[in-house]
Amino acid sequence: MGAVSGIVEVARYGDAEAVVTGIVGCAGLLPTIAAIEAGQDIALANKETLIAGGPVVLPLVEQYGVKLLPADSEHSAIFQCLQGVPEGGLRRIILTASGGAFRDWPVEKLATVTVSDALKHPNWSMGQKITVDSATMMNKGLEVIEAHYLFGLDYDDIDTVIHPQSIIHSLIELQDTSVLAQLGWPDMRLPLLYAMSWPERIYTEWKKFDLVTCGDLTFREPDHQKYPCINLAYAAGRAAGSMPAVLNAANEKAVELFLKEKIQFLDIPKVVEQVCDRHRADNKMTPSLQDILDADQWAREAVLSASESLNQVPVFIN
Ligand code: MG
């Protein structure tokens, strides 16, 4: 609790114009709320804050009149494409995904995945938790929920596509079927810079983009048998209320157990599904901050018991 209150103090300290929230996991929620209440704009590099706390964070953003600027590369791409699009012009979001470490592995081989296999991301250099989330594609599922809260589209209007080269960072479709994309090298500095400089564009000396040397751009549909986490995230997002907080916390805990070699790679979606299934009867549709913190805590404990009864068959996705 000491560390959390220290971070909360930093988040609301002084007269900063914007606070970049780059903490991994749901630990970013309370400091982000503190910064919003201090009237500071948020550059959101911590997706879990919005996924778990969306029902609480969005009304506060409105109430305090602050801006929530996405620093996640896909959401930055969507936000960049949206500049100049009139209200109501957006029809569909297409999130691109690298496909993670096991993009080219057959589904049968996933049962033997080791921690070091899961930590080899093909395109992006990131922390352990998000690299595992990329390998399960839960990262993309979480980003679908993040996109829903940031841009207000229904889940039916948010699609995902595997794009192994990570050059197109995401796309939007407008009402007239025109599609806009944002392209660039896979480099997190650009979305972070744009979250800080918006609406300005700052000149940089970074390596210029080159269509010819970047090579072929390819796309394919995600394999939902191989990546059950995507559908789990859509189901949790549609269930709304405190369910996304449960999905997020269950996933954080399951990834932690996987990194400690307490559960297998394929157990991650199994325990997350069991825990979401158990939360269905208790899902609060308009949760308070305390409800979200309680759901988060409950889900972490529920993962521990679910990891001990992995033979049960969950039935969360209908
Ligand atoms: Mg991302």
Side-chain angles (χ1 to χ4, degrees):
M1 208 53 208
V4 171
S5 58
I7 297 164
V8 165
E9 278 315 306
V10 170
R12 64 182 169 211
Y13 182 78
D15 51 6
E17 289 167 21
V19 173
V20 181
T21 63
I23 300 174
V24 177
C26 196
L29 180 57
L30 292 178
T32 302
I33 289 175
I36 294 169
E37 288 174 346
Q40 287 153 351
D41 290 341
I42 305 295
L44 194 72
N46 163 280
K47 59 178 66 99
E48 292 89 343
T49 289
L50 197 56
I51 291 157
V56 171
V57 168
L58 290 180
L60 286 176
V61 165
E62 186 99 343
Q63 183 186 339
Y64 287 89
V66 300
K67 291 184 196 76
L68 200 55
L69 301 161
D72 206 345
S73 64
E74 296 79 359
H75 305 78
S76 174
I78 294 160
F79 183 60
Q80 292 180 60
C81 292
L82 279 170
Q83 301 302 309
V85 172
E87 181 116 21
L90 178 64
R91 173 161 163 182
R92 184 168 65 112
I93 283 170
I94 305 159
L95 290 169
T96 52
S98 70
F102 307 126
R103 180 173 72 205
D104 301 317
W105 288 39
V107 64
E108 310 79 55
K109 244 185 105 186
L110 293 184
T112 64
V113 160
T114 65
V115 169
S116 71
D117 292 332
L119 291 179
K120 287 178 197 136
H121 194 282
N123 304 348
W124 297 92
S125 169
M126 305 179 292
Q128 290 198 345
K129 194 263 177 182
I130 191 170
T131 303
V132 175
D133 283 349
S134 274
T136 61
M137 289 197 73
M138 180 61 96
N139 184 52
K140 209 49 51 183
L142 294 173
E143 288 179 351
V144 166
I145 300 174
E146 185 185 10
H148 166 79
Y149 286 130
L150 278 171
F151 305 112
L153 284 192
D154 285 347
Y155 286 97
D156 289 346
D157 300 321
I158 306 172
D159 290 335
T160 61
V161 66
I162 293 187
H163 167 43
Q165 298 83 13
S166 298
I167 294 293
I168 296 183
H169 300 310
S170 278
L171 314 91
I172 62 171
E173 182 183 350
L174 304 178
Q175 297 296 355
D176 56 8
T177 73
S178 180
V179 173
L180 306 182
Q182 188 260 331
L183 285 72
W185 302 118
D187 183 339
M188 281 308 298
R189 289 179 302 176
L190 181 61
L192 277 166
L193 173 67
Y194 191 63
M196 302 300 289
S197 70
W198 177 88
E200 304 299 327
R201 291 287 187 173
I202 292 176
Y203 176 83
T204 74
E205 297 282 353
W206 298 339
K207 180 185 171 193
K208 281 169 74 179
F209 184 63
D210 182 346
L211 272 172
V212 175
T213 59
C214 89
D216 291 344
L217 303 182
T218 59
F219 306 92
R220 60 186 191 237
E221 182 121 21
D223 174 343
H224 290 288
Q225 191 203 343
K226 187 168 163 185
Y227 299 113
C229 287
I230 301 178
N231 281 339
L232 278 175
Y234 271 97
R238 288 188 169 107
S242 48
M243 190 63 85
V246 165
L247 172 94
N248 175 64
N251 178 61
E252 276 188 44
K253 191 69 192 176
V255 170
E256 185 191 313
L257 293 180
F258 169 70
L259 288 170
K260 289 181 181 162
E261 300 183 331
K262 299 264 169 64
I263 63 172
Q264 301 290 310
F265 182 74
L266 290 179
D267 294 335
I268 297 172
K270 284 187 204 159
V271 295
V272 171
E273 184 167 8
Q274 274 198 31
V275 171
C276 288
D277 186 34
R278 282 184 56 196
H279 184 63
R280 262 204 284 209
D282 302 320
N283 189 18
K284 294 221 164 64
M285 291 315 291
T286 45
S288 65
L289 176 59
Q290 193 58 48
D291 291 333
I292 285 169
L293 296 174
D294 290 347
D296 178 283
Q297 190 59 39
W298 172 84
R300 284 164 207 270
E301 286 157 19
V303 164
L304 289 176
S305 52
S307 68
E308 284 153 16
S309 56
L310 279 164
N311 298 326
Q312 288 174 19
V313 181
V315 283
F316 181 58
I317 298 175
N318 294 312

